[in-house]
Amino acid sequence: MSDLNKRSISKHPCYNIEAHNYARMHVPVAPDCNILCNYCNRKYDCANECRPGVTSQVLSPREALEKYKYVKNQLKNLTVLGIAGPGDALANFDKTKETIERIKEYDPEVIFCLSTNGLMLPDYAEEIINLGVEYVTITINAIDPLIGANIYRKINYKNKEYSGKEGAKILIDNQLEGLKYLSDKGVFCKINTVFIKTINDDHIEKLVIEVKNKGAFMTNIMPLIPVKGSFFEHMPIVSNKELYIVRENCKKYIKQMSHCRQCRADAIGKLSHDISKNFEHKCYTHMSDNILTKIS
Ligand code: CLF
Ligand code: SF4
């Protein structure tokens, strides 16, 4: 680990539980998605990374910068800027890229973090690195296309729709290729896995070993949230005990995250204390530096 990496991980509250006093901020600039997970209801935030609650607003890259300035002025412990939906960061790559460029110009010290389903990683991994993104979360729920076919309804890859085993295979291959590429270049990759009883429960250990071999830094096994209106609405709930057992078992292969809050696409604050409500429903479109100076 380089000195730069060590410094940044000491301030990332998701990748390092010791960094719990630092805050992260998500800017919801990525509304579209290129796949359809059976646990997703498009009216809600991305269930991969966010608790299912309607995101209060989708921001343009310019608005995201204004909101960042406003929040940073009030939240001195803010260290991480994340893009986690409400759709997929890479299905909206132009917006994701512009947001990072704008915020980086304003605050070169901020740590960038992305969350993605990984479908477009082989196309964008190089650019992600060039943008200076140090942390990428990929949600991988299966490494076997047969199991993946029961989790993903369809994917839209380069303007063509695929479903079943064929679609799942494209997605999984791209996720693993992207993971290996980014990890080899020193990007910290976290793998989120949604634990779906009767679908991938017996498969998680194998998945964890595979992503470890491809260079993942840690895994975050999360319980399925059976979102109303999704295809998995009536799936069984995973108990805390079941979750604990699978995490304990996988701990022997790779670092496990156990403090995830399955947060919203517009989350702000320390993981233990979300304050995104304080910044809702404000118009960030016409905010000027003058206003921001007055506020601070
Ligand atoms: Fe956001 Fe995710 Fe980056 Fe953290 S969240 S993009 S890694 S800055 Fe953190 Fe929230 Fe869990 Fe995600 S607690 S849902 S793991
Ligand atoms: Fe929904 Fe996220 Fe899956 Fe896209 S990746 S379908 S937004 S849960």
Side-chain angles (χ1 to χ4, degrees):
M1 202 186 287
S2 72
D3 286 350
L4 191 70
N5 280 162
K6 272 188 204 145
R7 201 164 57 235
S8 76
I9 207 159
S10 69
K11 292 184 176 176
H12 197 311
C14 301
Y15 281 70
N16 177 9
I17 198 165
E18 306 287 317
H20 58 90
N21 280 327
Y22 290 101
R24 53 78 178 96
M25 170 180 179
H26 288 168
V27 282
V29 295
D32 300 329
C33 194
N34 45 15
I35 70 173
L36 179 53
C37 305
N38 281 332
Y39 48 72
C40 183
N41 177 342
R42 298 298 178 102
K43 280 189 260 160
Y44 296 87
D45 287 351
C46 173
N48 282 341
E49 190 72 1
C50 322
R51 187 171 49 233
V54 182
T55 188
S56 65
Q57 10 173 214
V58 169
L59 302 175
S60 71
R62 202 173 158 270
E63 289 166 332
L65 169 64
E66 297 309 323
K67 185 172 182 180
Y68 179 75
K69 289 179 184 174
Y70 184 72
V71 173
K72 179 72 186 174
N73 260 318
Q74 303 181 43
L75 211 60
K76 299 301 176 200
N77 61 343
L78 176 60
T79 48
V80 177
L81 190 283
I83 300 180
D88 182 76
L90 303 187
N92 303 260
F93 190 66
D94 290 348
K95 289 176 186 159
T96 294
K97 185 177 173 193
E98 189 186 334
T99 302
I100 292 171
E101 285 169 342
R102 283 179 183 270
I103 294 178
K104 192 169 151 188
E105 196 185 345
Y106 173 74
D107 180 5
E109 296 296 308
V110 70
I111 299 163
F112 288 105
C113 192
L114 290 185
S115 166
T116 176
N117 60 41
L119 180 63
M120 296 310 291
L121 270 180
D123 284 56
Y124 296 131
E126 187 66 45
E127 276 198 77
I128 288 171
I129 292 165
N130 293 340
L131 280 167
V133 175
E134 292 172 84
Y135 295 85
V136 174
T137 292
I138 313 166
T139 300
I140 304 181
N141 300 315
I143 52 163
D144 177 343
L146 263 180
I147 296 172
N150 291 321
I151 300 173
Y152 309 107
R153 201 128 211 108
K154 60 180 179 184
I155 69 161
N156 189 319
Y157 186 54
K158 306 203 171 179
N159 299 320
K160 198 169 165 208
E161 248 180 40
Y162 302 86
S163 57
K165 208 176 138 190
E166 189 188 17
K169 182 169 183 343
I170 296 169
L171 177 63
I172 293 165
D173 287 349
N174 286 6
Q175 290 170 331
L176 295 176
E177 184 186 329
L179 166 63
K180 171 103 177 63
Y181 187 91
L182 291 172
S183 301
D184 284 351
K185 301 270 178 175
V187 174
F188 287 104
C189 294
K190 170 164 71 63
I191 305 306
N192 281 2
T193 298
V194 184
F195 178 172
I196 312 164
K197 267 169 95 166
T198 73
I199 305 274
N200 69 354
D201 32 4
D202 294 337
H203 181 60
I204 290 180
E205 184 173 359
K206 198 173 161 196
L207 183 157
V208 165
I209 294 170
E210 177 71 9
V211 299
K212 160 77 183 165
N213 291 338
K214 292 275 189 279
F217 175 75
M218 68 195 290
T219 59
N220 174 20
I221 303 164
M222 314 182 299
L224 170 78
I225 301 173
V227 176
K228 200 165 184 299
S230 72
F231 293 100
F232 281 172
E233 176 178 352
H234 300 295
M235 291 295 277
I237 305 264
V238 176
S239 69
N240 287 342
K241 191 174 169 199
E242 286 165 327
L243 189 61
Y244 175 81
I245 290 170
V246 71
R247 282 177 178 163
E248 277 297 298
N249 183 38
C250 291
K251 198 162 92 176
K252 57 182 182 267
Y253 306 112
I254 190 169
K255 181 178 159 85
Q256 296 296 305
M257 181 172 190
S258 55
H259 59 296
C260 177
R261 298 298 169 134
Q262 291 180 268
C263 36
R264 298 167 53 103
D266 54 2
I268 297 174
K270 295 199 271 186
L271 298 193
S272 58
H273 183 50
D274 190 89
I275 53 167
S276 54
K277 288 261 175 290
N278 300 357
F279 301 97
E280 262 180 18
H281 308 306
K282 190 174 279 296
C283 176
Y284 294 99
T285 314
H286 302 298
M287 249 183 200
S288 70
D289 287 338
N290 285 345
I291 298 171
L292 291 162
T293 310
K294 272 185 221 147
I295 289 164
S296 66

